Amino acid sequence: QDRNKSYGHPLDNHTQTAYLITIYLQKKLKTDVKISPEDVCVFHMLTKISRMSHSPKRDNIVDIAGYARNIEMIDEERNHRAQVT
């Protein structure tokens, strides 16, 4: 809940990040790639997995679970917004 107040709903926050990554990769790779908010969560999980391979810490597992929950929240919010509209 505190993160929602600070950064907005994961759908909005990760959509913004996905947009920025998409623009960056399109220019860098000269391709029409499109990154989703769920992709952003997976990228964060991969960072945590990479850190775990170097130095396992409980915090990384907690964060991985949090990003997995964000994917679920994104799906729930998308469905909610589709019903409201």
Side-chain angles (χ1 to χ4, degrees):
Q1 293 296 351
D2 291 339
R3 288 184 190 266
N4 280 2
K5 287 180 186 176
S6 296
Y7 306 117
H9 192 279
L11 175 59
D12 301 317
N13 180 256
H14 293 309
T15 296
Q16 178 66 24
T17 304
Y19 173 76
L20 296 170
I21 294 170
T22 294
I23 291 172
Y24 175 82
L25 290 177
Q26 285 177 349
K27 289 184 182 288
K28 182 170 181 73
L29 302 176
K30 297 177 178 38
T31 184
D32 196 26
V33 67
K34 178 132 172 54
I35 304 300
S36 71
E38 293 88 346
D39 291 329
V40 172
C41 295
V42 171
F43 294 155
H44 285 300
M45 287 189 274
L46 291 171
T47 298
K48 296 298 181 170
I49 290 166
S50 177
R51 289 179 181 176
M52 287 288 293
S53 71
H54 174 72
S55 178
K57 294 184 180 170
R58 184 180 186 282
D59 179 65
N60 291 318
I61 297 298
V62 171
D63 288 348
I64 290 167
Y67 288 119
R69 173 64 179 131
N70 278 348
I71 292 172
E72 186 177 46
M73 291 172 69
I74 288 166
D75 185 55
E76 290 169 353
E77 185 65 15
R78 247 197 219 111
N79 290 335
H80 172 75
R81 291 180 187 184
Q83 292 174 2
V84 173
T85 307

